[in-house]
Each structure stands twice: as structure tokens, then as C-alpha cells.
Amino acid sequence: MTDTATEAVAHGVVITDAAGAKVKSLLDQEGRDDLRLRLAVQPGGCSGLIYQLYFDERMLDGDAIRDFDGVEVVVDKMSVPYLDGATIDFADTIEKQGFTIDNPNAASSCACGDSFS
């Protein structure tokens, strides 16, 4: 397997400082330095597509990658068009805690078709 990290292209996803800090904290807890944050779009959910956000040690053929101050964010080649311009954030309030994805490509949240155009 070739080193796809050097061949990978960049993607249009960005990560906020708050989300980057939370990812670094979680990686420190894991005690591993070989993990990247992977964001993907998969079929499913009531609107047709759902987000997947998880740590992954793999680099797949065609992955797009960007480094944000030591946090590597990876997007597979099929998800790149759906996620261009999306922002990963982290909220920690009394009402909500967790990662959020603000995606300008999301057309709607109705159940009559895909959420993204």
C-alpha cells in the first residue's frame, strides 16, 4: 500500500478551535497519536443521508485530508462534494454537549429525499 497521505488532496471541511481542542483532549485520553478525525456521509436517517464522525487510524485510497494545528481531519472521496464548506464545531452548554456539523450543502431535513443537493 502506498503512502496516500502524501498523495491526498485537501477538502473544504473546517474545524473550529473549540472542536479542535476537544478532539485533542479525546486523543490524549486515548493515548494514541495515530488517529485522525474522519467525517463521512452515509445513506440512512429520515432525510436520506447521515453524518459519521469518528476516529480512524486508516488512510483510504482517495481520502482528502487537512491538518488543523495537529488535528488531522479526513474525508473520503465520495463524501467530499457533500461536505464542501462544512464546519465541525463542539458545543458544551447546559442544553447541549457534543460535536455539531454546519453544512451549507444541506438542502432540507424533510423525509422526501436526500438532505443534500
Side-chain angles (χ1 to χ4, degrees), residues 35-52:
L35 296 175
R36 298 164 190 87
L37 185 66
R38 182 174 291 277
L39 175 61
V41 174
Q42 299 290 327
C46 63
S47 299
L49 296 171
I50 58 172
Y51 296 111
Q52 289 192 329

Side-chain angles (χ1 to χ4, degrees), residues 7-86:
E7 299 169 8
V9 295
H11 54 71
V13 176
V14 296
I15 187 167
T16 65
D17 290 343
K22 184 62 177 180
V23 169
K24 284 182 181 179
S25 172
L26 292 170
L27 288 173
D28 287 346
Q29 289 176 20
E30 289 289 323
R32 293 178 60 180
D33 60 2
D34 64 333
L35 296 175
R36 298 164 190 87
L37 185 66
R38 182 174 291 277
L39 175 61
V41 174
Q42 299 290 327
C46 63
S47 299
L49 296 171
I50 58 172
Y51 296 111
Q52 289 192 329
L53 187 65
Y54 58 96
F55 291 124
D56 196 354
E57 71 273 358
R58 301 169 300 149
M59 280 297 293
L60 305 174
D61 190 35
D63 276 350
I65 188 167
R66 283 180 70 185
D67 186 283
F68 297 92
D69 193 26
V71 173
E72 292 180 323
V73 178
V74 179
V75 178
D76 67 88
K77 64 183 174 184
M78 298 301 287
S79 297
V80 167
Y82 296 109
L83 298 170
D84 188 41

